[in-house]
Amino acid sequence: MPLFAGSYDGASFFELLRYDFPHLLPFQHLHNVPQLAASERRLMEAVPFATTVLALRCADGVVMAGDRQATEGFEVSSRRIEKVYKADDYSVIAMAGAAGPCLEMIKLFQVEMEHYHKIEGETLALDGKANKLAQMVKQNLPAAFQGLIVIPIFVGYDLRLQQGRIFKYDVTGGRYEELQFYATGSGGKEARSTLKKFFKVAMSREAALALALEALVDAADVDVGTSGPDLIRGIYPVVKMVTCHGVMDVSDDEIRPLSERLIAALQG
Amino acid sequence: MAVPFYVSPDQIMQDKAEYARKGIAKGRSIVAVEYADGLLLMAENPSASLNKISEIYDRIAFAGVGKYSEFENLRKAGIRYADLKGYAYSRQDVTTKSLANAYSETIGTIFTRDPKPLEVEILVVEVGETPAQNEMYHVSFDGTITDRQQFAVIGGQADRIRTYLQEHYQTDLPLAEALALSRRSLLAGYERPPAEESALEVGLLERGRVGRRFYRMTQAEAARAMAATNNGS
């Protein structure tokens, strides 16, 4: 049949690829590259890595932010990479790890959400989305053992519970809900300690944005893989927010003054 | 061994076509109408959950009449086709022309090869960046594909509705008026107007939206919009 030759007949795009078009999966081709596995360090130097991303809950929902640097060993491979993406109308996904597989998995996840919606006529529940993502991360495990780690953070607004929710993952596809905040990537630990210190329950949007930026600036301060706001080139972290009204981009115009204030504070 | 009777291909095709036509004639019609800001699809559908109109991709929508299970399978296959193509290449590369051709080939092959033809007729429509770039394809039960402009009609009462639209269609109608026109055209399909109006299913492809342009109008929204035009005129 010219229209569709596959055998899969469900609502999941990811499963459709697994059954009928495995060559289009992001990770399948990474499973058989033993020569690269010989040295994880060499792989880390050969492949760009996306670094710090974070999320925190606030009064209206969740704020998600990521710096803009991709790092290849000790080199900056990109200053403008984006790691935070809208997954669908009510959820946002961000990833740290090997940039190629990360971006491919984000794309696959976006199509998965949309595909399910179109086939079934309904959107998945937030838990359903989070679980689907866990299965995708699990598929990447063989590649993760070779150093091509992919670690997402997934946040969304749960329309049923009327609140924002944060999910973190491990390389085995383990899915854990965080109630306040989370950060991952090479600067994740540093960002988490800032978040931990200043996080308050039900913060305003402004306070949450400022804290997200501060955590990124602190991460960039210590971690060479993470960049802070680049005032010279005008490159700012990507920040998105999800509330009961859906996903919103936080514009550079809003991020710029906050960044300038933070950097002025660093100058003492 | 028994030798099967010879039946001429002519006869086989005629029988199949008649069979398919009968199946389709049972279903209510669907209209697609170009209006000022996009394209609208309207069907009479008493069920709120078993849809006849659906989103396929960013600018592309689908409508089917006839046997539900058959056009539902075609709809899903179309979504898979579009999503796969968009994933493997890019979102701009998913075109209505290639999708409609794929539908045409698939339905045509089934018509010639399988003992039972599909009892369906479908519309595949796309809202373009400008009204001139709108596309509407009508694929019938034997795979025949036709390119339509301004409006397209499928289903059992198509001829009468088409005649009505030919007389009353105007270009660049605002949405509310296009909705009212579509509803009147569906009513024109009846020999005798029904005592009670059937529930309407309405899908829009709105040019002004970003990304996925399909919007499913609720019954109440459609009714409100049409009530506004009645008061105005």
Side-chain angles (χ1 to χ4, degrees):
Chain A
M1 257 344 99
L3 189 55
F4 184 67
S7 58
Y8 178 71
D9 194 33
S12 165
F13 187 74
F14 174 56
E15 296 298 327
L16 172 67
L17 291 190
R18 259 180 15 114
Y19 276 79
D20 296 323
F21 305 89
H23 60 283
L24 288 177
L25 279 177
F27 9 80
Q28 213 73 6
H29 58 284
L30 300 171
H31 292 182
N32 304 312
V33 278
Q35 70 276 24
L36 276 178
S39 161
E40 192 180 309
R41 256 189 59 226
R42 277 191 33 223
L43 190 63
M44 297 273 290
E45 284 160 18
V47 175
F49 273 71
T51 47
T52 314
V53 290
L54 63 86
L56 67 148
R57 267 174 71 179
C58 60
D60 297 334
V62 185
V63 169
M64 181 98 122
D67 76 310
R68 299 292 295 275
Q69 185 165 313
T71 316
E72 225 172 279
F74 291 106
E75 273 178 43
V76 172
S77 70
S78 169
R79 293 181 200 285
R80 292 176 190 274
I81 191 176
E82 292 191 18
K83 308 164 190 178
V84 182
Y85 289 85
K86 176 179 172 177
D88 69 359
D89 286 347
Y90 288 97
S91 64
V92 181
I93 183 171
M95 290 222 191
C102 277
L103 295 176
E104 253 189 303
M105 198 186 284
I106 289 172
K107 190 173 136 193
L108 178 58
F109 186 64
Q110 289 169 325
V111 178
E112 172 77 26
M113 304 290 95
E114 182 187 331
H115 189 75
Y116 185 94
H117 180 223
K118 290 191 292 199
I119 294 268
E120 292 287 314
E122 334 222 333
T123 45
L124 280 164
L126 191 63
D127 281 299
K129 296 175 198 173
N131 277 338
K132 198 74 220 178
L133 183 58
Q135 290 159 23
M136 286 164 58
V137 174
K138 194 167 74 184
Q139 288 291 314
N140 189 56
L141 188 59
F145 277 126
Q146 298 175 354
L148 296 174
I149 288 173
V150 169
I151 298 284
I153 305 180
F154 177 63
V155 307
Y157 191 84
D158 193 322
L159 291 165
R160 220 162 19 102
L161 301 177
Q162 310 236 312
Q163 64 178 33
R165 296 172 73 187
I166 300 172
F167 297 94
K168 68 173 180 180
Y169 295 82
D170 64 30
V171 285
T172 65
R175 182 205 99 169
Y176 316 92
E177 182 161 4
E178 284 287 340
L179 295 178
Q180 298 186 322
F181 58 83
Y182 190 64
T184 189
S186 58
K189 200 173 161 206
E190 199 61 32
R192 278 201 300 276
S193 55
T194 303
L195 289 169
K196 187 174 173 188
K197 212 159 196 178
F198 298 110
F199 182 85
K200 289 187 195 69
V201 175
M203 277 188 289
S204 68
R205 173 195 153 98
E206 288 67 34
L209 289 179
L211 179 52
L213 277 180
E214 187 167 358
L216 278 181
V217 168
D218 286 352
D221 220 20
V222 177
D223 173 40
V224 286
T226 307
S227 67
D230 189 337
L231 300 182
I232 298 166
R233 295 185 185 83
I235 305 170
Y236 298 95
V238 173
V239 187
K240 294 192 194 297
M241 194 174 173
V242 56
T243 66
C244 60
H245 303 298
V247 175
M248 282 162 281
D249 295 341
V250 180
S251 70
D252 280 359
D253 294 335
E254 200 170 344
I255 300 296
R256 194 180 308 119
L258 287 170
S259 305
E260 282 165 356
R261 213 173 305 150
L262 274 171
I263 287 180
L266 277 184
Q267 287 166 338
Chain B
M1 205 182 86
V3 180
F5 286 111
Y6 173 77
V7 184
S8 76
D10 255 5
Q11 188 63 47
I12 296 177
M13 292 305 163
Q14 252 176 40
D15 287 355
K16 281 189 186 179
E18 197 182 322
Y19 177 83
R21 254 187 228 112
K22 252 193 237 162
I24 294 162
K26 282 182 230 152
R28 306 296 317 158
S29 288
I30 300 182
V31 292
V33 172
E34 291 183 42
Y35 68 98
D37 304 315
L39 257 157
L40 84 82
L41 290 154
M42 185 185 278
E44 285 173 298
N45 190 351
S47 166
S49 52
L50 300 175
N51 295 320
K52 298 178 179 182
I53 296 167
S54 158
E55 170 185 17
I56 296 274
Y57 212 66
D58 289 353
R59 297 174 167 278
I60 309 173
F62 170 98
V65 293
K67 205 165 182 189
Y68 180 79
S69 64
E70 290 179 350
F71 69 73
E72 175 69 3
N73 277 337
L74 288 172
R75 178 187 80 88
K76 285 183 186 167
I79 292 171
R80 291 196 184 106
Y81 174 94
D83 278 347
L84 267 173
K85 202 166 178 197
Y87 181 75
Y89 299 98
S90 79
R91 294 195 83 91
Q92 295 99 280
D93 297 313
V94 181
T95 60
T96 310
K97 194 181 73 183
S98 80
L99 177 64
N101 274 317
Y103 271 129
S104 157
E105 265 183 73
T106 304
I107 297 174
T109 310
I110 292 174
F111 183 77
T112 41
R113 282 209 201 137
D114 290 11
K116 189 197 100 59
L118 293 179
E119 299 158 70
V120 293
E121 248 185 307
I122 60 168
L123 284 176
V124 190
V125 299
E126 167 176 338
V127 60
E129 269 174 49
T130 62
Q133 288 169 307
N134 288 350
E135 288 178 50
M136 292 198 279
Y137 297 97
H138 170 183
V139 183
S140 64
F141 57 84
D142 58 355
T144 309
I145 181 168
T146 329
D147 187 357
R148 306 273 185 207
Q149 259 117 42
Q150 299 182 328
F151 56 83
V153 193
I154 51 173
Q157 305 79 32
D159 289 341
R160 232 173 283 148
I161 297 175
R162 207 171 290 129
T163 313
Y164 181 88
L165 283 171
Q166 268 157 4
E167 282 163 19
H168 296 88
Y169 179 82
Q170 287 169 291
T171 48
D172 287 333
L173 282 176
L175 174 61
E177 280 174 39
L179 283 168
L181 171 72
S182 304
R183 186 182 57 169
R184 284 197 305 272
S185 77
L186 286 177
L187 288 175
Y190 289 93
E191 269 175 62
R192 247 172 295 131
E196 212 172 297
E197 264 189 62
S198 166
L200 294 176
E201 178 184 347
V202 182
L204 305 179
L205 284 170
E206 295 181 298
R207 189 170 294 116
R209 281 179 185 269
V210 180
R212 293 163 68 184
R213 273 119 177 133
F214 185 81
Y215 178 71
R216 191 177 287 288
M217 246 188 162
T218 63
Q219 184 87 17
E221 281 174 314
R224 225 175 297 134
M226 286 187 283
T229 57
N230 289 347
N231 294 342
S233 61

